[in-house]
């Protein structure tokens, strides 16, 4: 992030934020015309997060969106028509009408995993994507998003803990927009900074102004490269606000007016425009051009979407199972010698080495790697779990939320 | 929307949804041990507004807006029930009940059998398709729980039953799963009696008398079956329509009585086919009314697929009156 | 215990457990995309030692000892499968699969239908009762998954099938649940062919020819049914015993062929009764072989209770050869 | 904890640790005689945790044991015969043979909730117990235990987060015995101190030497009284070691010999005996008396257990459902006026108040309580989630694991 962005990059970020907003504005119109099937979610005011973070990914990297990450899909290369058609349940949509909203993926080209509605479930799934990429030698990073509300799910915990144990190249963006449907964040999570969730897994975390696209981008970039370098998963908390209701049907009267006003004054696109203008990266003409480009594109994309048919009824019957090679040729893309992971090359001793205590299961002090035998060095920072027990009371004093055991009791412990 | 106490003056037609709200209001007034818990059930009044006004009336202690943690809700409700409370837990959509599957099937369902601990609690929420909710907001998960001894499973079709059965569920000493078909919420109305009443758990009801065949159904499909019944009547086929109302325990008596009378049976459910309750009914009939069947047991159900999103697909996926009509006609020919 | 490559010299009798180990060894040797994940599967070789020696052979990258996080395992396996890996996930006991119920039924099962994403993965683990494991270590959760379109469900009864079906499961492009009845692990032996082979998913097999009635079963109850079949033969009743092997998709053809031949059907399963697979079979027979049945379909199953712990209780709870014998004798009288 | 214990209390702790160990030793014998049904778990070397923590509870408080908390059950008043009979599946056991091991409870007298095997599930259940007790005005505390391994489950997260949001009077003891079956703690949790799990919920935590019964007791006592006072749930990490295998069948060869030796030298009973002797609280005679008392008791209890029959087979059919009042009269025990929670007394305004931002849902600045309207004051420390977003970069610098956003980016955000 030290290096400044190119002019093109600065403008890309602007373009995608505008595109994100324009796509969603057009969908609101379609919704009012009753052309959207089911609910419609909005990321108004959160565009900097989707765009800034997804822009930090390389083409080979993987992402999985949540409901408010249309912007990330657009950055990754999804066409607006696909977004429209998903919401209109059209036959030419990525899921051919079988699912809606941002529920679609692309395994082969864009490397997008489809979400399901159940919050948090993408976290272990993207951990698996990250682990598989590493195993295949692809040096990819996997990214997904979660809400303040979603961070209360059990699968958030299981997934992030597993990613941390495995040091998976995985970046999780926690969009703290202060509300989960009608529930304010402090009824959801008793923390001021949700980044503190990371402390339960010993992983790195960042807190970023979610309405600042440059901050989002640069932080995500740093995190992505850290993860790629093998430093393990990273949690980024983006502080922001959900400007619309949970979905179109929700007037969100439970949100204090003053709160909404406060955040409306901090619109991420307006803030970024000010910056671009101040840095002479954008003037009225440039802005006009971008607007026209987007308008022209979206009119075409919407027309395409509107003209696409609904799926034929009998299509409902098809596709529950993959029928084999004729349906999908499943091939792992190896970017390392397969011989590295096939016998007898990878024979190891099945022992645990516990720092300070040698190793178990017979073979004595052998230094079997704990983490990944062949591709990763054994962990060098010893956890010293065993030893820490006796030193615990002293160490504990340094922690903020951990109280030291009363000295008398701990003295007794050590006699 | 009725007065603040949640009950309508008698003679008024109320919606299915209103009936559920009334049941919760009245049970919470009757018994301070009854509390309500779920995502957005308090200030917002529930995603479908089923609990609108309940927080205002009963306060923050008895109406708990929870984090997005289905296992925590179910677990906590179970713990509360051990101290004599009778919690009602709302799943925002019943689809999310699978996020607490272990808690329900292992902790909640087995406690009374294993260590004599009753868990009087109700888990309720909007279920079913037909409103283009897509694959994760249209679930009919009843069979997962019908196959779990220790639970009771209710799936009503009318405002009267919804209110009376929800009240019975709250008063039951066992854990009860209560499914509310969201297609019915605002589409189906009915008159409710003025006073307190319950509908007994475990009793089916004959919604239409007939002699040529029996159509067994429940929830939204009861209405679809009745619609088919009218069409069949025009062709001289009198279908008896049984509404199961409770799926566990199943009312074998009403099922057997009807089939012994009509000698033919068609089961209709919105749940997917393989492993649906039609199978269980088939087995019961084969065991206990084998000689009474004059024709094959038939099934009209949803397809064995996830619930698709596009209206064209969902319509094809779901049973409807036409499909029931055809099947019944074929069956009547035997 | 065979040589380090996990395969026994041909002609040797190997246990059911050994057959499973061989399948994993051989599939992992054949295809580097196959990996194994689960609690204690690596250094310890699995709670039942099903993966003993696999870490030594295939190393830390391919044999992953996980935290106690069933949802994380299943989710991660699903993600891995999207990149072309073919993970095998072990549940330490199959009872714990309900802790990942949402991941399996919503994420894993629906992906291909909804967005064309195959998830080639296998979830396997020890299941079933009869070894006094108590209510949380004896589960037969098959029907939860038979009722979930998008999954395949296998429950073998012999070492030969266990090995061949597990290999087929690993090579299948769909998510497969593979249940290993722990009662069989060390009690049942069989001879395995020397080379590679698979057993096709979705095909039942007739284990015993007969003409008086058909007994349909699977897993441990196949052996119990065969035992009853011997006793019945002594009384002149020739029972045909069908072993389903795969529960989803169900092999309707083999079922129908046998019942059309014997005209009588008894279903035996260790799973609890209400909502068990006997119902689905009853419905299929009613629909497709109605005229062929000369007697009621009967069921011998476990009780509709949790699995009790005490040997006296568990014995009473489970089906056994005597119960099958009596039911079959009664059925044969029709 | 400031005040010293009475002589009787010191000796109680000793007695229960000895009893705990003796009960388990006797069960090992029964196991070798094939009289135990199913597996047998051991808490050898962890007795100080079960005994010290449970001893901090009052009679009215509730607990729920895990597999290694026989000691806690004994302290709470369970008879050894019940423990024996549970393991032998006898008809006179608390579950009458329907379940085994520590899987039994007692709602009416001892206030014990039965565990199930699935790890972590007790955490939300005991949270519910704690909330119900508060609602009924009982001023109780709920306690349960979890392992290092169990802390990886999703339900651990959901339960503890919910308890924290609700400030439930709940104490959770995390027994970090360094192994979960064959899996060493650092493959389970990437933390040195598992007490750090608490940081994800903003709750208090302690680290204690789990082999020091006085430290365990005094810390638990403090935590229990804090929880009872309404300060919310508390997590206590007890550092210890699992001296036996996971269960009787497991020789635990995966544990390095040096590690086992290290911990065997720190036996909690031996350490405590030294302390008691040093303080003149116990001499050889006193020790002998206690031993004899235990031996006599256990011989009797074992005889009773052995003489109890197995349950009659048909008993398997009974009890799936509660059949109503004849089966269980369910009555909440109110210790506050019921009128407090019944209409119209408890009418409130259904609004969220967000500190610094007024409140939502129409009614303007009303100060509706966020937490428990009638029994608890509204939270006074404002979360100020909204405001923290803009200040985040500055605040972040103070956190250890949270990196500050690069200054340039965050400056841009604020123009
Ligand atoms: C497991 C689960 N429970 C409940 C829901 C219903 N639901 C959908 S979105 C939502 C609120 C999400 O809040 P948050 O995670 O903060 O995301 P945001 O909507 O603010 O972007 C809820 C409760 C769900 N999707 N999944
Ligand atoms: C959800 C779940 N998954 C798996 C298991 C199987 N299991 C039983 S105990 C155990 C290890 C527990 O380790 P820990 O929590 O550290 O407790 P300890 O045995 O060390 O006391 C495992 C994996 C289980 N009981 N529950
Ligand atoms: Mg949110
Ligand atoms: Mg442990």
């Amino acid at each position: 992030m030290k290096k400044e962005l190119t002019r093109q990059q600065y403008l890309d970020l602007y373009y995608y934020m505008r595109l994100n907003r324009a796509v969603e504005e057009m969908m609101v119109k379609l919704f009012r015309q009753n052309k959207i099937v089911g609910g419609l979610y909005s990321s108004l005011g959160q565009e900097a997060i989707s765009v800034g973070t997804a822009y930090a990914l390389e083409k080979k990297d993987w992402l999985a969106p949540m409901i408010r990450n249309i912007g990330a899909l657009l950055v990754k290369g999804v066409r607006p028509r696909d977004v429209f058609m998903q919401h209109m349940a059209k036959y030419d949509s990525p899921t051919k009408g079988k699912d809606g909203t941002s529920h679609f993926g692309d395994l082969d080209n864009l490397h997008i995993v489809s979400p399901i509605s159940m919050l948090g479930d993408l976290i272990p799934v993207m951990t698996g994507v990250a682990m598989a990429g590493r195993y295949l030698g692809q040096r990819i990073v996997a990214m997904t998003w979660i809400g303040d509300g979603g961070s209360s799910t059990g699968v958030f915990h299981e997934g992030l803990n597993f990613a941390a144990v495995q040091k998976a190249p995985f970046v999780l963006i926690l969009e703290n927009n202060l509300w989960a449907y009608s529930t304010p964040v402090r009824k959801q999570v008793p923390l001021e900074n949700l980044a503190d969730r990371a402390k339960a897994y010993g992983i790195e975390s960042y807190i970023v102004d979610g309405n600042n696209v440059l901050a989002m981008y640069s932080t995500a970039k740093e995190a992505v490269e850290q993860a790629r370098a093998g430093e393990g998963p990273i949690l980024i908390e983006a502080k922001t606000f959900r400007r619309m209701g949970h979905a179109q049907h929700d007037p969100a009267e439970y949100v204090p007016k003053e709160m909404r006003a406060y955040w409306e004054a901090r619109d991420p696109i307006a803030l970024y425009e000010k910056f671009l203008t101040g840095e002479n990266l954008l003037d009225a003409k440039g802005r006009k051009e971008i607007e026209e480009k987007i308008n022209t594109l979206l009119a075409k994309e919407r027309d395409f979407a509107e003209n696409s048919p609904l799926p034929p009824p009998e299509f409902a019957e098809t596709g529950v199972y993959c029928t084999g090679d004729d349906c999908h040729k499943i091939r792992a893309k190896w970017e390392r010698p397969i011989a590295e992971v096939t016998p007898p090359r990878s024979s190891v001793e099945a022992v645990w080495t516990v720092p300070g205590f040698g190793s178990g299961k017979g073979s004595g002090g052998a230094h079997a790697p704990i983490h990944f035998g062949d591709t990763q060095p054994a962990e060098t920072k010893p956890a010293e779990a065993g030893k820490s027990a006796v030193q615990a009371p002293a160490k504990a004093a340094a922690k903020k939320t951990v109280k030291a055991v009363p000295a008398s009791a701990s003295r007794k412990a050590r006699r | 929307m009725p007065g603040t106490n949640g009950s309508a003056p008698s003679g008024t037609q109320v919606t299915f949804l209103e009936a559920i709200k009334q049941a919760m209001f009245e049970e919470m007034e009757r018994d301070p041990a009854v509390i309500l818990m779920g995502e957005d059930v308090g200030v917002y009044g529930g995603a479908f507004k089923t609990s609108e006004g309940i927080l205002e009336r009963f306060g923050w202690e008895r109406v708990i807006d929870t984090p997005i943690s289905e296992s925590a809700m179910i677990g906590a409700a179970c713990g509360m029930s051990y101290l004599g409370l009778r919690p009602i837990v709302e799943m925002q959509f019943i689809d999310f009940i699978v996020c607490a599957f272990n808690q329900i099937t292992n902790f909640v369902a087995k406690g009374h059998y294993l260590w004599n601990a009753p868990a009087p609690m109700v888990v309720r929420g909007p279920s079913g398709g037909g409103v283009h909710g897509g694959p994760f907001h249209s679930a009919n998960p009843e069979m997962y729980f019908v196959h779990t001894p220790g639970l009771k499973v209710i799936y009503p079709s009318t405002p009267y039953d919804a209110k009376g059965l929800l009240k019975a569920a709250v008063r039951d000493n066992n854990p009860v799963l209560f499914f509310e078909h969201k297609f019915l919420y605002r589409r189906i109305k009915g008159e409710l009696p003025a006073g307190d009443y319950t509908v007994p758990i475990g009793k089916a009801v004959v919604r239409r008398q007939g002699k040529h065949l029996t159509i067994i159904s429940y929830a939204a499909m009861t209405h679809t079956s009745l619609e088919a019944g009218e069409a069949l009547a025009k062709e001289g086929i009198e279908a008896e329509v049984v509404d199961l109302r409770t799926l566990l325990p199943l009312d074998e008596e009403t099922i057997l009585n009807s089939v012994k009378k009509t000698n033919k049976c068609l089961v209709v459910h919105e749940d997917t086919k393989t492993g649906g309750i039609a199978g269980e009914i088939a087995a019961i009939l084969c065991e206990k009314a084998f000689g009474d069947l004059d024709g094959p047991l038939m099934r009209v159900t949803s397809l064995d697929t996830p619930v698709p999103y596009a209206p064209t697909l969902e319509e094809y996926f779901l049973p409807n009156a036409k499909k029931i009509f055809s099947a019944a006609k074929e069956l009547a020919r035997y």
Side-chain angles (χ1 to χ4, degrees), chain A, chain B:
Chain A
M1 143 62 215
K2 296 293 128 56
K3 76 167 178 346
E4 293 287 316
L5 304 189
T6 66
R7 188 190 148 81
Q8 188 55 46
Q9 287 175 315
Y10 280 120
L11 291 178
D12 275 0
L13 289 172
Y14 180 66
Y15 171 78
Y16 281 117
M17 283 210 286
R18 293 292 305 258
L19 183 64
N20 182 359
R21 185 164 294 181
V23 163
E24 294 192 15
E25 280 168 354
M26 186 161 278
M27 288 203 291
V28 171
K29 282 189 203 134
L30 293 168
F31 185 86
R32 298 207 173 117
Q33 295 163 8
N34 271 318
K35 289 175 178 163
I36 299 281
V37 177
L40 178 62
Y41 303 93
S42 161
S43 71
L44 181 69
Q46 298 180 227
E47 296 92 341
I49 302 170
S50 285
V51 170
T53 52
Y55 197 70
L57 294 175
E58 295 182 13
K59 191 170 162 23
K60 67 179 175 185
D61 293 331
W62 287 67
L63 65 73
M66 293 288 283
I67 46 174
R68 302 192 206 286
N69 301 113
I70 297 295
L73 292 175
L74 295 169
V75 170
K76 199 81 171 72
V78 168
R79 294 171 305 182
R81 66 177 63 178
D82 287 337
V83 176
F84 295 148
M85 290 189 296
Q86 275 293 119
H87 285 79
M88 299 163 91
K90 294 303 184 77
Y91 196 37
D92 296 307
S93 81
T95 62
K96 298 191 191 313
K98 281 184 178 168
D99 203 348
T101 65
S102 62
H103 289 193
F104 64 99
D106 178 353
L107 296 179
D108 293 328
N109 300 309
L110 299 179
H111 297 164
I112 294 171
V113 171
S114 173
I116 65 173
S117 295
M118 286 70 189
L119 298 167
D121 276 348
L122 278 169
I123 295 171
V125 172
M126 296 310 281
T127 296
V129 166
M131 288 169 68
R134 174 172 62 191
Y135 175 59
L136 295 168
Q138 296 176 351
R139 295 188 57 76
I140 56 160
V141 172
M143 179 183 282
T144 189
W145 292 261
I146 189 74
D148 41 307
S151 81
S152 301
T153 61
V155 72
F156 170 95
H157 177 71
E158 291 198 2
L160 206 46
N161 186 62
F162 188 41
V165 168
Q166 287 290 330
K167 284 189 173 287
F170 171 52
V171 176
L172 178 61
I173 318 296
L174 199 166
E175 294 196 64
N176 180 359
N177 62 10
L178 304 177
W179 295 89
Y181 211 145
S182 79
T183 305
V185 63
R186 67 195 181 111
K187 289 300 284 182
Q188 188 79 236
V189 190
L191 289 173
E192 175 151 346
N193 293 314
L194 273 64
D196 286 355
R197 294 280 208 209
K199 293 184 180 166
Y201 318 110
I203 62 172
E204 297 272 326
S205 66
Y206 295 79
I207 299 174
V208 194
D209 178 351
N211 288 26
N212 178 335
V213 71
L214 290 178
M216 283 312 310
Y217 166 71
S218 60
T219 309
K221 185 80 187 158
E222 193 174 321
V224 163
E225 294 321 326
Q226 260 176 279
R228 200 185 309 280
E231 295 177 31
I234 288 155
L235 179 69
I236 301 177
E237 178 189 4
K239 305 267 192 190
T240 187
F241 174 74
R242 196 195 72 208
R243 293 248 295 273
M244 303 290 288
H246 176 62
Q248 276 289 320
H249 68 272
D250 171 19
E253 285 163 5
Y254 46 79
V255 174
K257 285 189 202 62
E258 304 87 328
M259 190 177 194
R260 184 185 310 286
Y262 171 86
W263 284 95
E264 278 170 356
R266 303 190 67 258
D267 181 80
I269 296 186
L271 286 175
Y272 192 47
E273 269 176 10
K274 246 194 192 158
F275 164 82
L276 291 176
T277 316
E279 303 279 332
N280 289 325
L281 290 160
L282 187 74
D283 55 16
K285 184 166 153 277
R287 206 184 122 147
K288 193 84 198 284
E289 274 171 23
I290 287 172
E291 266 163 24
E292 272 164 18
K293 183 175 158 192
I294 288 174
N295 289 343
T296 314
L297 172 68
L298 292 196
K300 240 178 39 202
E301 295 286 289
R302 183 203 51 211
D303 288 350
F304 185 95
E306 296 211 39
N307 288 327
S308 172
L310 288 176
E314 317 74 43
F315 181 62
E317 256 164 4
T318 64
V320 176
Y321 293 96
C322 176
T323 52
D325 263 12
D326 53 315
C327 182
H328 286 91
K329 275 207 205 323
I330 296 174
R331 298 278 176 275
K333 295 201 188 83
W334 289 91
E335 299 195 1
R336 67 191 276 205
I338 292 185
E340 278 184 20
V341 299
T342 43
R345 163 70 184 80
S346 59
S347 295
V348 299
E349 274 192 282
V351 292
W352 294 120
T353 303
V354 179
F357 284 116
S359 56
K361 201 161 179 177
S363 25
H367 285 283
I370 293 283
H371 190 243
F372 276 102
D374 296 314
T375 55
Q376 302 251 338
E379 286 167 352
T380 44
K381 233 190 308 155
E384 296 205 325
K387 284 194 173 166
S388 70
V390 269
Q391 300 160 1
K395 280 190 191 163
K399 311 268 162 180
K400 242 183 89 170
T401 57
V402 178
K403 291 196 186 165
V405 171
S408 60
S410 66
R411 215 177 309 120
K412 278 167 201 156
R414 284 201 228 109
R415 28 177 104 194
Chain B
M1 170 75 194
T4 41
N5 73 343
S7 55
S10 80
T12 320
Q13 293 277 320
V14 306
T15 60
F16 192 91
L17 190 141
E18 177 62 30
I20 285 161
K21 195 197 299 176
Q22 284 188 21
M24 292 199 285
F25 254 108
E26 292 177 19
E27 288 306 295
M28 289 179 78
E29 286 200 35
R30 187 186 56 79
D31 184 354
V34 181
I35 66 119
L36 174 65
M37 200 161 36
E39 291 151 14
D40 308 292
V41 296
V43 169
Y44 195 66
F48 285 83
K49 301 289 178 189
T50 330
S51 51
E52 194 164 42
I54 292 196
L55 172 61
E56 286 89 328
R57 183 58 173 261
F58 297 99
W60 298 93
E61 278 189 282
R62 297 183 63 186
V63 184
I64 301 171
D65 275 307
T66 67
I68 303 175
S69 304
E70 282 77 12
S71 281
M73 280 177 234
I74 300 288
C78 183
M80 289 173 175
S81 78
Y82 292 158
L83 270 77
L85 301 192
R86 293 180 173 273
I88 303 172
V89 183
E90 172 172 304
M91 298 281 113
Q92 192 156 81
F93 284 79
I94 208 67
D95 306 65
F96 304 128
I97 200 169
V98 289
C99 298
F101 201 73
N102 173 41
Q103 285 278 348
I104 295 176
T105 59
N106 279 313
F107 220 117
V108 173
K110 294 179 179 170
H112 191 266
Y113 182 77
L114 295 177
W115 63 284
N116 198 30
M121 55 184 276
V122 177
V123 184
R124 47 161 288 276
S127 57
V131 300
H132 315 319
F136 307 107
H137 289 80
S138 308
N140 282 299
E142 55 265 32
M143 285 311 289
Y144 292 148
F145 304 106
V146 168
H147 188 50
T148 305
L151 302 176
K152 297 190 176 181
V153 180
I154 295 173
Y155 210 156
S157 75
T158 67
Y160 180 91
D161 281 358
K163 182 172 175 181
L165 280 164
L166 184 48
K167 282 169 158 260
V170 168
R171 299 177 197 183
D172 200 284
N173 280 359
N174 297 283
V176 180
L177 304 193
F178 189 90
F179 300 132
E180 304 164 3
H181 202 297
K182 67 175 87 69
F183 186 86
L184 306 179
Y185 266 164
R186 297 174 195 280
R187 286 183 184 81
I188 296 292
K189 291 190 174 188
E191 198 174 310
L192 301 186
D196 181 45
Y197 72 97
T198 59
V199 171
I201 297 175
K203 293 272 170 246
V205 66
V206 175
R207 293 270 177 222
R208 185 185 200 283
Q209 297 286 339
K211 56 187 176 198
H212 296 119
L213 80 160
T214 298
I215 302 178
I216 299 178
S217 193
Y218 57 97
M221 282 302 134
T222 299
H223 300 279
T224 316
S225 298
L226 287 168
E227 193 190 327
E230 292 307 305
L232 288 164
K234 291 196 186 111
E235 312 228 344
I237 301 170
E238 293 299 335
E240 178 142 316
V241 177
V242 174
D243 177 1
L244 293 172
R245 306 196 289 192
T246 299
L247 305 181
L248 183 68
L250 207 49
D251 181 357
E252 292 195 2
E253 196 185 329
T254 303
I255 294 171
L256 290 171
N257 283 345
S258 179
V259 174
K260 284 182 180 178
K261 180 172 110 185
T262 65
N263 305 116
K264 286 172 189 166
C265 182
L266 169 68
V267 185
V268 179
H269 57 68
E270 190 186 303
D271 193 3
T272 54
K273 186 171 191 170
T274 301
I277 203 162
E280 185 58 29
I281 292 170
I284 290 168
L285 293 178
C286 284
E287 285 174 330
K288 302 187 178 166
F290 179 70
D292 299 302
L293 282 176
D294 285 350
L297 177 133
M298 293 179 74
R299 304 189 259 189
V300 175
T301 71
S302 287
L303 301 180
D304 274 334
T305 72
V307 185
Y309 181 63
T312 48
L313 303 180
E314 191 183 15
E315 212 170 286
Y316 187 83
F317 164 86
L318 290 171
N320 57 35
K322 229 168 105 181
K323 296 182 195 175
I324 299 169
F325 177 86
S326 317
K329 256 188 96 171
E330 191 190 326
L331 183 55
R333 268 199 292 272
Y334 276 81

